[in-house]
Amino acid sequence: MSSLTLPTDALILTYDKMDGVGTLRTAQGVELRFGKSACTDFVPEPGMTVWLVETKPDPLGKGERAKVMNRSGRVEKDRLTQIEEEHDASDAAYEREVALLEELGLPGEETEPSDYATLSPEDLVRLAAGVMELRRTSRLFEEGFTALTELAPSLLHPYLGELSHQHELESLAWTDAPSGAIAHLMAWLVTDWHPGEQMGLADPVAAAALALARSGRDEALRALEAWVGALDAVAQHEALTGLRLANVVRRTSGTLARNFTPACLEVLPEEPDDDDDDDALPEAPVAHGTLWRPIPDAACMKCGSGLVDALQLDGDSAAYGMPWPGRLPTCLTCLTMGGTVHIELSQEGAVWSMGADRTSQHARTVEPPEPQPVAFAPGRTWRSIMMSDGERLHRLGGAPSWVEYPEAPPCPRCNEPMHAVGQVRDEEALFSDVGMLYGVSCEACRIISTFSQ
């Protein structure tokens, strides 16, 4: 027990930054040694007035030594003890996460992101409840939470009152959120808003706008329309840029709309991964198509290369709920040059090149891969993490998985925002730095444009 009355104010007399050791004098005139780890909320400097909160026996046998010092006088533990307790709490939280996975029949510490897709609807409900219980007691189980936002964000909707739309990961739970969960966010849409240096979730107005856009509800989009329309030109530009993160775009009429189709078909892998469970049932295809199908008698107006369908669905795209036209015609040479390729399709499916814009001066001819038949299975509309593990990156429909910032060109004819059609991963570095080919379309003008990131 200390011979001093604590806490007491003290003056730092000396401090050696190299050794992390110094001396102080208390208000009673007692001099003590201290180490840097005793300072919980400040960097010690000679002449600084601080509070001595707790002492301990000096290991050198010279009476007492400072154990806890701070600027507030509040009784607390020394920094080393705090760090040890934080590590212990983190380890305990991790053990609870592993236990939750094992309760659901997943391989605990060995669980991969793709394993979550094997859970039954009932187990996904249990996962959501477990993830939220972990959040209440320790921390958000980020891997499990991310899996839920990708597989079924609606399972998190009952917990939106406990989540923050200003937290980057938690904000994803507002995807397709019900009307009752978004009403309070509309109060944030003040018309005198001006963004800071960068619009982000730290800005409560921007965060509320993004959550409303992610919900996709008609009343949310109408409220956002009114808000955007009342902003000055600079703020309006920043607001519309931020809304693109939720794939919400503004038409020339001023109307806001999602630019993707909820239905999605993903290309099944040719063969199961080596790590796949041998006992797992193969996924049944619901449709078929082709990767890299040459388009007969069709050449690019800009470079003369033959056109190809990067991905094509057999049959009527509308029958599967896919956006028009169910194919991604493009010129790989112009795409490699960094251009946006524009193709016009007739009612009968005939293809005309409209050329490409924004191409570089460094052209090289690109030979497309051999045509490959593919099978499609129902996919997920949203991906919460770009290029996430387990994602089948060749797909038609759904919201784009942007490698970089959402950036789709307007229709070259009517200037309206174009609708997301699909994407193909550049697995052989044909047209980018192993990125993605994207397709967007304007059905009214019968134009499809492709570009890469």
Side-chain angles (χ1 to χ4, degrees), residues 371-390:
Q372 174 188 334
V374 294
F376 292 94
R380 306 174 209 160
T381 301
W382 286 96
R383 296 289 177 173
S384 60
I385 304 297
M386 292 181 290
M387 311 282 281
S388 64
D389 291 337

Side-chain angles (χ1 to χ4, degrees), residues 69-369:
M69 300 159 54
N70 60 32
R71 302 301 301 272
S72 65
R74 177 171 54 88
V75 177
E76 60 182 339
K77 297 175 182 177
D78 66 283
R79 187 60 188 143
L80 286 178
T81 301
Q82 291 179 34
I83 292 173
E84 289 172 356
E85 291 182 350
E86 289 169 3
H87 285 172
D88 290 343
S90 178
D91 290 344
Y94 178 71
E95 289 173 3
R96 288 194 290 272
E97 292 171 4
V98 171
L100 171 61
L101 296 175
E102 292 175 344
E103 289 171 9
L104 295 171
L106 296 176
E109 292 183 327
E110 305 301 320
T111 300
E112 298 291 336
S114 57
D115 291 335
Y116 290 96
T118 66
L119 293 175
S120 67
E122 294 77 15
D123 281 343
L124 285 172
V125 172
R126 291 173 59 199
L127 175 64
V131 165
M132 291 307 301
E133 182 59 30
L134 282 168
R135 184 186 188 279
R136 297 184 194 106
T137 57
S138 55
R139 65 186 182 195
L140 186 66
F141 180 16
E142 292 197 2
E143 183 183 277
F145 192 93
T146 299
L148 288 165
T149 60
E150 291 191 338
L151 290 165
S154 60
L155 294 176
L156 294 165
H157 292 168
Y159 308 105
L160 290 178
E162 301 179 51
L163 300 173
S164 170
H165 63 281
Q166 286 189 254
H167 184 281
E168 184 173 4
L169 185 58
E170 295 178 30
S171 174
L172 297 167
W174 267 265
T175 300
D176 298 327
S179 298
I182 62 173
H184 72 285
L185 297 175
M186 297 182 189
W188 284 102
L189 302 181
V190 293
T191 55
D192 60 349
W193 173 74
H194 287 88
E197 293 183 3
Q198 185 174 5
M199 183 173 172
L201 293 182
D203 181 328
V205 179
L210 183 58
L212 287 166
R214 282 182 168 144
S215 78
R217 299 293 170 185
D218 184 69
E219 60 268 36
L221 297 181
R222 301 295 81 77
L224 289 169
E225 279 174 19
W227 174 62
V228 170
L231 298 174
D232 64 37
V234 173
Q236 189 175 100
H237 172 78
E238 292 299 321
L240 292 172
T241 299
L243 294 179
R244 288 207 300 270
L245 289 170
N247 292 293
V248 168
V249 295
R250 191 188 198 193
R251 297 178 176 142
T252 55
S253 64
T255 302
L256 292 180
R258 281 177 159 180
N259 73 331
F260 62 91
T261 300
C264 178
L265 291 178
E266 297 180 329
V267 172
L268 289 168
E270 288 185 87
E271 299 177 357
D273 293 335
D274 293 338
D275 296 333
D276 282 354
D277 186 349
D278 293 336
D279 297 328
L281 293 175
E283 200 165 355
V286 298
H288 294 82
T290 308
L291 269 170
W292 307 118
R293 173 185 170 274
I295 302 175
D297 304 319
C300 176
M301 177 188 294
K302 177 117 181 177
C303 70
S305 299
L307 301 181
V308 298
D309 273 310
L311 183 60
Q312 183 177 31
L313 174 69
D314 293 343
D316 182 9
S317 61
Y320 297 97
M322 293 296 99
W324 178 88
R327 59 191 291 192
L328 300 173
T330 191
C331 169
L332 280 182
T333 298
C334 288
L335 213 62
T336 302
M337 295 165 63
T340 298
V341 180
H342 305 291
I343 304 289
E344 185 173 1
L345 303 178
S346 72
Q347 293 283 356
E348 295 76 27
V351 176
W352 289 286
S353 167
M354 299 174 65
D357 50 35
R358 298 188 299 177
T359 56
S360 73
Q361 298 298 316
H362 305 288
R364 68 180 176 91
T365 301
V366 178
E367 292 295 329

